[in-house]
């Protein structure tokens, strides 16, 4: 990918990350694990979503699965609530 979006963990909400993936761009997330900085590449090929970590390739068959992964792993920030 010639022009990936580079972000820090928790910088964008999951919806914004998914929007970028649906545009055909990759998202490279800089994250810290056990005191060390790593890059995770999130991508979508039109049917399958991928999370390329330094040690594993995660595959997700649906947007819902990818959204769950983004939130669970802390790549995206939590959506703001109105407090109601």
């Amino acid at each position: 990918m010639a022009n990936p979006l580079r972000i820090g963990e928790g910088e964008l909400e999951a919806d914004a990350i998914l929007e970028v993936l649906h545009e055909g761009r990759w998202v490279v997330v800089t994250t810290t694990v056990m005191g060390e900085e790593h890059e995770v590449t999130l991508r979508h090929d039109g049917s399958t979503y991928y999370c390329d970590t330094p040690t594993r390739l995660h595959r997700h068959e649906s947007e819902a699965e990818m959204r769950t992964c983004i939130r669970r792993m802390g790549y995206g920030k939590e959506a703001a609530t109105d407090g109601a």
Side-chain angles (χ1 to χ4, degrees):
M1 172 57 52
N3 188 23
L5 174 64
R6 294 184 171 276
I7 63 171
E9 63 185 325
E11 192 172 315
L12 294 177
E13 292 180 8
D15 287 340
I17 292 171
L18 287 164
E19 184 176 316
V20 172
L21 296 177
H22 292 157
E23 292 170 358
R25 294 177 68 192
W26 291 6
V27 177
V28 178
V29 182
T30 302
T31 184
T32 303
V33 178
M34 297 179 70
E36 292 190 31
E37 198 170 90
H38 298 279
E39 288 187 342
V40 175
T41 301
L42 310 177
R43 56 191 173 92
H44 181 243
D45 68 6
S47 61
T48 304
Y49 295 85
Y50 300 91
C51 300
D52 294 324
T53 73
T55 58
R56 285 187 64 192
L57 171 63
H58 298 259
R59 295 158 94 165
H60 306 288
E61 300 301 322
S62 71
E63 181 177 316
E65 286 179 18
M66 183 64 161
R67 182 184 312 280
T68 298
C69 180
I70 290 169
R71 289 181 177 154
R72 184 177 35 121
M73 299 306 293
Y75 303 144
K77 71 179 178 181
E78 292 296 319
T81 60
D82 62 9

